[in-house]
Amino acid sequence: MSTAEGSRTRPSRKVWAVVAALVVIVLAGLLHAWRNTNVLTADRLCGGLVSAARADAVLPGAGRLDAEGDGLDKDLTDTVCRVGKTSVVLGSGEGELTVRVWAEQGDDLLGVDRSPELSETSFFTGGATGGVDAYTGWALLPETCWATRPVIVRLNSTREISDRTAFAALTTDTARAVAAGAGCGDLPGKPGKLIPPRSGAARPVSEGRVCGLDGFSVRGQVPTGTEVLEAGQAAPADLWSCKLSLDADSPGSVRADGFMTYTASRDPQLIAAVRKAPGTTGGKAPIGRPADGVVTSQAMLLHCAEGAPLYVAYDSGLQYLEASKRYADLPPRGAYFEPFVKAAAKTFGCAAPTSG
């Protein structure tokens, strides 16, 4: 074979350079896909509890999902899982979701000292019961999953979540996977229609319809000349809350805690959870009618002639404590419950008690 013929059969340096460049591009593409996308990520994370697609839709920015957690613990309430999103691409978002399963006392599910902030929460009811705000989501597991106390699945995000519909879908789907994995019940894969706050900011109350409740007034119950603001969901709703705050010169944390927070619910799953609370007894509501499940002087279940019982509760905030020290004629805390119960019973269709 001549030298000329040999040179034609061997790849030239240019060809090898092209091949090498293509290899580098392919490897770089694979590295990019692995480090910055979920092309190579499993469909479900944390032992099948968390949908990768739903988590990716919730965590802001672009990046790769990583999970830490093997799934359900032998003790259901010891289950912990973390899903993070990271990327080496400049400007891409990073965030982390922490999933926990824990037992919660029934009358604390809508307790005003828990997160998410009730007045900023979008609730969902129906096949699944729970709520989401910008950082936290929770959903009740079926009653067949409970031992001594109701059990919830709770998700916390380190980054603000803008799409509450997607967050509620992730929360409900994760709760469904937990219940299925534990073999203790069924939940739908998607939540019902969200019940959002009426507005993004607190607004002045309408006297006689405070918090949207028929006949509810705060006249004579707040310092004279102080404007009262309200925040929460429209009434009536299966899950509802309203926080009253004073437009006064209070420190930031005091003002954020508010003056009074009211909650109400006719959701059957939440009612079942409240009935699990210790110390639940029969008794009378402040308006003298029968009340089933008097947990404390601040929370109870009212008998209703039609439909499910009505859960009502209230608690005072730091603004009330501050005002009570400055205004000697401010009513005692208990005086704020009776007018609320009367108005809530009327608005939520529980004005007529059962005859039994």
Side-chain angles (χ1 to χ4, degrees):
M1 179 182 294
S2 67
T3 302
E5 290 176 344
S7 63
R8 286 196 298 270
T9 59
R10 293 194 298 271
S12 67
R13 291 181 179 179
K14 290 183 178 181
V15 172
W16 283 116
V18 171
V19 171
L22 289 174
V23 170
V24 170
I25 291 173
V26 170
L27 291 176
L30 291 172
L31 180 62
H32 170 75
W34 179 68
R35 293 290 301 276
N36 304 302
T37 75
N38 294 305
V39 174
L40 304 177
T41 302
D43 291 339
R44 299 194 71 88
L45 309 169
C46 298
L49 299 183
V50 179
S51 163
R54 293 190 187 279
D56 188 43
V58 163
L59 287 170
R64 176 178 180 269
L65 295 177
D66 291 294
E68 178 185 339
D70 299 325
L72 292 179
D73 193 272
K74 290 182 180 180
D75 183 342
L76 187 62
T77 56
D78 284 341
T79 301
V80 179
C81 167
R82 292 180 177 84
V83 178
K85 178 185 282 187
T86 58
S87 174
V88 296
V89 177
L90 186 64
S92 296
E94 294 187 4
E96 183 178 87
L97 286 167
T98 300
V99 179
R100 289 186 172 89
V101 182
W102 62 22
E104 181 75 85
Q105 187 165 305
D107 56 326
D108 283 342
L109 287 172
L110 295 181
V112 296
D113 59 344
R114 65 171 282 122
S115 174
E117 169 67 53
L118 293 181
S119 63
E120 299 174 5
T121 296
S122 295
F123 294 116
F124 50 88
T125 62
T129 297
V132 294
D133 69 0
Y135 292 92
T136 306
W138 64 275
L140 258 173
L141 290 184
E143 190 170 357
T144 47
C145 298
W146 309 350
T148 57
R149 293 191 295 172
V151 181
I152 66 171
V153 172
R154 181 175 169 125
L155 280 66
N156 290 89
S157 174
T158 59
R159 296 284 299 276
E160 183 175 0
I161 295 173
S162 58
D163 190 341
R164 294 194 177 193
T165 300
F167 196 16
L170 171 64
T171 302
T172 303
D173 182 71
T174 303
R176 178 199 60 77
V178 169
C184 60
D186 297 318
L187 284 176
K190 295 182 180 180
K193 184 178 180 181
L194 293 187
I195 307 169
R198 290 173 59 190
S199 62
R203 57 203 169 276
V205 302
S206 298
E207 192 57 44
R209 276 192 60 83
V210 173
C211 293
L213 302 180
D214 296 334
F216 191 25
S217 172
V218 293
R219 184 179 291 114
Q221 293 189 315
V222 297
T224 303
T226 303
E227 185 175 31
V228 183
L229 307 176
E230 64 181 34
Q233 302 77 26
D238 285 341
L239 279 175
W240 173 90
S241 70
C242 180
K243 181 169 76 173
L244 298 182
S245 56
L246 306 180
D247 191 11
D249 187 20
S250 301
S253 59
V254 173
R255 180 163 180 155
D257 198 53
F259 186 76
M260 289 283 163
T261 296
Y262 299 99
T263 56
S265 176
R266 296 196 74 169
D267 177 68
Q269 293 183 79
L270 187 116
I271 298 297
V274 171
R275 292 191 189 279
K276 281 277 190 180
T280 301
T281 63
K284 287 188 176 181
I287 52 179
R289 57 185 284 180
D292 180 22
V294 180
V295 180
T296 68
S297 60
Q298 299 174 231
M300 59 188 60
L301 293 172
L302 299 180
H303 291 300
C304 304
E306 297 181 4
L310 174 65
Y311 173 71
V312 288
Y314 88 112
D315 199 8
S316 57
L318 293 177
Q319 275 195 321
Y320 172 79
L321 181 62
E322 179 188 61
S324 65
K325 294 177 179 179
R326 297 174 59 184
Y327 301 93
D329 58 344
L330 205 65
R333 289 201 328 163
Y336 293 85
F337 197 27
E338 181 173 344
F340 161 67
V341 172
K342 288 182 178 179
K346 180 180 179 181
T347 303
F348 283 77
C350 191
T354 56
S355 57

